[in-house]
Amino acid sequence: FVSPYYYIVSMAHIHKKMKKGRPYYYIRETARVDGKPKVVNQVYLGSPEKIMKMAATGGGLPNKIQVQEFGALWLANLVEQEIEIAGLVNKIVPPENNETGPSVGEYFLYAIYNRMIDACSKRAMPSWYKNTAIQSIRPVKVDDLTSQMFWKKWDRVSEEQIKLIAQKFLGSVADIEKSSSDCFMFDTTNYYTFMSGHTESELAKRGKNKEGRHWLRQIGVALLVSRDKRMPLYYKEYEGNRHDSKVFLQVIQDIFAAMKGGVSDKGNLTVVFDKGMNAEENIAALDSQKQINFITTYSTYYSEDLVHISLDRFKPVNTEKNAQLIKNNRYDDQLVAWRTEGEYWGRSRTVVVTYNPLTATKQRYNFEKKLLRLQSELFDFQSKVNSQAVHWRKKSIILKRYKDLCSELHIPPDLYTVEVTDHGNSLRMNFRKNHYRIGRYIDRFGKNIIITDIRDWTTDEIVKASLDRWTVEDGFRQSKDDDLVAMMPIRHWTDSKIRCHIFTCVAALALLRIIEIRLRRAGLHITAKTAMKQMHHLHSCLTWLPGKRKAVRIVEEPDDIQVDILKVFGWKITGGVLQKI
């Protein structure tokens, strides 16, 4: 079997074309694609006179060629020029007397460029930059970009200074891409580090790691983004063992300031966050703000009456996903909602319960697998207990093992009734399903409870705002990408360097978001990751021609997507030269 996409390129040959009675020559490569011969590459040579001239001057071939990565770095620099990060930092952390080499601001700048394109360690950064066209974009002595120099420069940046740098930078970003939304998304996550347990750090602490690496020390990061632009407006690094609700209370005034600074209209603003942060003191702080509303989720475990409401009372929500389901005649798969009011945190609030059948199906499938494993393990328990196996002769230990197994499976222990009874000088174990509790537990699947202090929004508006929490979650996913941003794992060993590293990652995230916004605004619906990947393959070549003292830089011919990206930002490549349109 031969794949229809498999083809072999033939050797290049010279092809002649006649134009207005004159011959012109090309080098062509052909291949069989889908069983048919097709031209896969063509290079123009010129007229016979031009070819003769090339032959007379030694073939016109360059003495040396150096290919460098160009496109992605050029695009990163183009967007950054609107903010001038190096200058911003140098105003806050001025150069020392007789300081030579790149400034503190430039060390931030070159780290941010790297995070936007192909994140690597500081140790690998000089080698990475040597393969790029950095000298034609933002000249620097690459050998100065060593990890030792990064540590030396970043050690001079205090906690207050990095906070001010971040505030000024994110303020500039907000000015460049003004938000038109009065709604903002807030969330937290954590990033593990390989820092030794003996290394002193106020930030790196062990806690519940979201990647499951609980044994490693971690740093938490809180992030606020605008709903419409998904642009970072505020972030805060914090101790890895601090609970989300405590972090929210700690930074709540900064969040309010960032929200008010992110919009020109000073009307009511809304912050959306998940159930991990809705502690009473946090809601009280929100209630004390006259022009700040909130939308949060609420645990189904504390609202049994809401979870078991009949689905007959629910109505479909007007979302894009539902519209697509209707188009495909999948009416039963629509997200539905039911609205009511209730007393929460000392006040009457608007309550919306949603049900997603697709989510419920997935949760039911996973739950059935867990029940099968639990049943299998219980049969094993029973066999060991009834046969009086060693270490299975004490009732309290047996019941504890059952509870530990349920905890491992993340299901409650009351789904089965487990009985361990005395039988003469031994024990007997029996178990049976608690069908009532299982049924009540299944009722939770696909359900979500939303609580807000907003009364004048429609149910659809409240649900869609809550669903849009994905905008901040998407930022966290990008920050954990191995190539772009790559905040994790944090390979820095002091708090000052950790803060500097986190800022470079957030700055890279914001600049990538600006790129994506402008591409989509121009009708080019690709992600920043795709755009940078495409531009990463746009190279420039330094060529040393015979008889020429200076090298000539030529940018390679862009493909269709690269042409579109360049056009969005007002540039084009003509004859190997980058030009403004």
Side-chain angles (χ1 to χ4, degrees):
F1 173 76
V2 178
S3 167
Y5 300 104
Y6 176 79
Y7 62 87
I8 300 174
V9 179
S10 68
M11 293 183 63
H13 65 277
I14 295 177
H15 176 76
K16 182 176 76 172
K17 285 185 180 180
M18 297 298 292
K19 295 183 180 180
K20 295 183 180 180
R22 286 185 54 80
Y24 293 90
Y25 292 87
Y26 298 78
I27 293 180
R28 271 188 175 182
E29 289 179 298
T30 59
R32 285 192 174 273
V33 180
D34 294 335
K36 298 179 181 179
K38 184 178 180 181
V39 176
V40 294
N41 191 29
Q42 179 174 278
V43 179
Y44 175 64
L45 292 176
S47 64
E49 293 82 5
K50 183 178 178 181
I51 296 172
M52 288 291 291
K53 186 176 179 181
M54 290 169 60
T57 57
L61 296 175
N63 295 328
K64 184 171 64 172
I65 295 176
Q66 184 182 33
V67 179
Q68 298 172 326
E69 294 177 10
F70 175 80
L73 187 57
W74 171 84
L75 183 56
N77 179 71
L78 182 70
V79 176
E80 185 279 330
Q81 283 178 339
E82 299 180 43
I83 299 174
E84 297 184 350
I85 294 170
L88 183 154
V89 173
N90 290 336
K91 287 179 182 178
I92 299 171
V93 188
E96 294 179 329
N97 294 332
N98 303 320
E99 184 175 8
T100 60
S103 65
V104 174
E106 287 176 309
Y107 275 96
F108 276 103
L109 177 68
Y110 292 114
I112 290 167
Y113 285 165
N114 175 254
R115 296 278 136 190
M116 291 178 68
I117 302 164
D118 188 13
C120 66
S121 67
K122 303 299 183 294
R123 181 178 295 178
M125 201 170 289
S127 297
W128 182 80
Y129 268 113
K130 284 177 181 178
N131 291 318
T132 71
I134 187 63
Q135 304 305 349
S136 67
I137 297 171
R138 176 89 187 215
V140 64
K141 188 178 178 182
V142 172
D143 289 336
D144 285 343
L145 301 179
T146 62
S147 57
Q148 292 86 351
M149 287 303 297
F150 269 100
W151 310 153
K152 181 179 177 181
K153 297 285 185 175
W154 283 2
D155 265 342
R156 290 170 45 198
V157 185
S158 68
E159 182 177 353
E160 287 303 313
Q161 285 175 324
I162 195 65
K163 182 178 179 180
L164 184 57
I165 290 168
Q167 183 181 344
K168 295 286 186 183
F169 170 79
L170 293 175
S172 297
V173 167
D175 289 338
I176 290 171
E177 288 293 342
K178 279 285 186 185
S179 173
S180 59
S181 173
D182 57 2
C183 192
F184 303 84
M185 310 292 151
F186 180 81
D187 204 356
T188 61
T189 192
N190 47 52
Y191 303 87
Y192 63 80
T193 172
F194 295 120
M195 185 184 293
S196 166
H198 302 293
T199 304
E200 291 186 8
S201 173
E202 293 181 2
L203 288 174
K205 304 289 184 181
R206 288 185 178 86
K208 187 177 180 181
N209 183 259
K210 295 188 178 181
E211 309 302 315
R213 302 197 176 195
H214 310 305
W215 62 92
L216 295 177
R217 298 172 76 178
Q218 64 183 19
I219 292 94
V221 174
L223 183 65
L224 178 77
V225 305
S226 56
R227 182 185 182 185
D228 58 341
K229 297 294 180 71
R230 291 160 45 199
M231 186 69 70
L233 298 176
Y234 171 80
Y235 80 92
K236 171 69 176 177
E237 71 286 336
Y238 61 91
E239 303 89 336
N241 60 353
R242 186 180 289 268
H243 193 273
D244 292 351
S245 62
K246 301 295 183 184
V247 174
F248 189 77
L249 187 63
Q250 179 188 6
V251 303
I252 200 163
Q253 294 302 325
D254 291 334
I255 292 172
F256 294 157
M259 289 167 62
K260 291 172 182 176
V263 293
S264 54
D265 183 12
K266 301 304 179 183
N268 278 27
L269 304 175
T270 302
V271 59
V272 183
F273 52 92
D274 70 12
K275 56 181 172 286
M277 284 166 274
N278 56 22
E280 285 192 20
E281 56 268 30
N282 296 341
I283 303 299
L286 287 163
D287 285 338
S288 67
Q289 297 289 319
K290 291 184 179 179
Q291 291 185 305
I292 304 290
N293 298 117
F294 71 87
I295 297 174
T296 186
T297 52
Y298 196 76
S299 175
T300 56
Y301 289 97
Y302 302 125
S303 299
E304 288 284 336
D305 55 331
L306 296 176
V307 168
H308 304 300
I309 294 292
S310 172
L311 290 176
D312 293 338
R313 304 172 69 177
F314 287 62
K315 295 181 180 179
V317 182
N318 181 22
T319 65
E320 291 183 11
K321 182 68 178 291
N322 274 2
Q324 189 64 38
L325 290 170
I326 292 171
K327 188 176 179 180
N328 296 328
N329 294 320
R330 294 171 58 186
Y331 295 93
D332 292 340
D333 291 337
Q334 291 184 85
L335 175 71
V336 294
W338 172 74
R339 181 170 180 163
T340 185
E341 291 187 3
E343 182 93 6
Y344 293 88
W345 304 294
R347 294 190 185 183
S348 177
R349 316 282 184 179
T350 300
V351 180
V352 178
V353 184
T354 65
Y355 173 71
N356 189 328
L358 297 176
T359 301
T361 300
K362 292 176 184 177
Q363 291 176 338
R364 181 67 181 264
Y365 175 74
N366 291 328
F367 176 66
E368 294 293 348
K369 288 200 300 183
K370 289 180 180 180
L371 274 188
L372 284 174
R373 182 184 162 188
L374 181 61
Q375 185 181 49
S376 176
E377 295 279 358
L378 283 173
F379 275 119
D380 185 51
F381 283 16
Q382 185 183 52
S383 174
K384 290 176 179 177
V385 172
N386 293 350
S387 64
Q388 303 182 54
V390 178
H391 307 305
W392 290 84
R393 300 173 183 173
K394 195 170 182 179
K395 186 184 299 186
S396 60
I397 292 177
I398 296 165
L399 295 176
K400 183 180 182 302
R401 285 174 178 164
Y402 168 67
K403 290 181 179 179
D404 289 345
L405 175 60
C406 292
S407 177
E408 180 186 338
L409 294 172
H410 302 290
I411 56 177
D414 62 355
L415 303 183
Y416 268 84
T417 301
V418 178
E419 298 174 339
V420 181
T421 58
D422 293 319
H423 189 75
N425 295 326
S426 62
L427 297 176
R428 286 288 182 271
M429 175 180 163
N430 291 295
F431 61 90
R432 63 182 180 277
K433 282 183 178 180
N434 188 328
H435 292 283
Y436 173 76
R437 295 308 310 168
I438 290 175
R440 301 283 284 184
Y441 187 75
I442 289 173
D443 268 352
R444 302 178 190 280
F445 294 167
K447 301 281 180 63
N448 191 40
I449 298 173
I450 305 168
I451 298 179
T452 177
D453 60 349
I454 301 172
R455 296 184 181 277
D456 56 351
W457 284 20
T458 66
T459 301
D460 290 350
E461 288 172 332
I462 293 170
V463 172
K464 286 191 281 190
S466 181
L467 290 173
D468 280 346
R469 287 200 318 276
W470 74 268
T471 56
V472 64
E473 293 165 357
D474 185 64
F476 284 138
R477 278 191 293 272
Q478 181 65 75
S479 72
K480 296 180 180 183
D481 186 279
D482 291 337
D483 296 322
L484 268 66
V485 183
M487 194 183 295
M488 180 179 67
I490 297 177
R491 301 181 186 275
H492 300 262
W493 316 123
T494 66
D495 289 350
S496 64
K497 298 183 187 72
I498 288 171
R499 291 188 177 97
C500 291
H501 168 71
I502 291 174
F503 168 71
T504 62
C505 293
V506 173
L509 188 65
L511 293 176
L512 288 169
R513 184 64 195 136
I514 290 175
I515 291 171
E516 188 169 301
I517 288 171
R518 294 184 179 176
L519 292 172
R520 289 177 181 259
R521 188 183 295 148
L524 191 56
H525 294 280
I526 60 174
T527 64
K529 181 175 182 178
T530 299
M532 296 307 276
K533 183 178 180 180
Q534 290 293 329
M535 294 298 285
H536 190 64
H537 297 297
L538 181 64
H539 299 85
S540 69
C541 299
L542 278 173
T543 58
W544 285 261
L545 297 172
K548 301 287 185 179
R549 291 185 177 181
K550 292 185 178 180
V552 177
R553 182 176 295 279
I554 301 173
V555 182
E556 73 174 314
E557 193 69 18
D559 62 25
D560 291 343
I561 296 180
Q562 291 165 349
V563 167
D564 290 340
I565 294 170
L566 289 165
K567 185 178 179 181
V568 167
F569 290 91
W571 292 80
K572 65 179 180 178
I573 295 173
T574 305
V577 179
L578 188 65
Q579 300 175 336
K580 268 188 169 292
I581 297 175

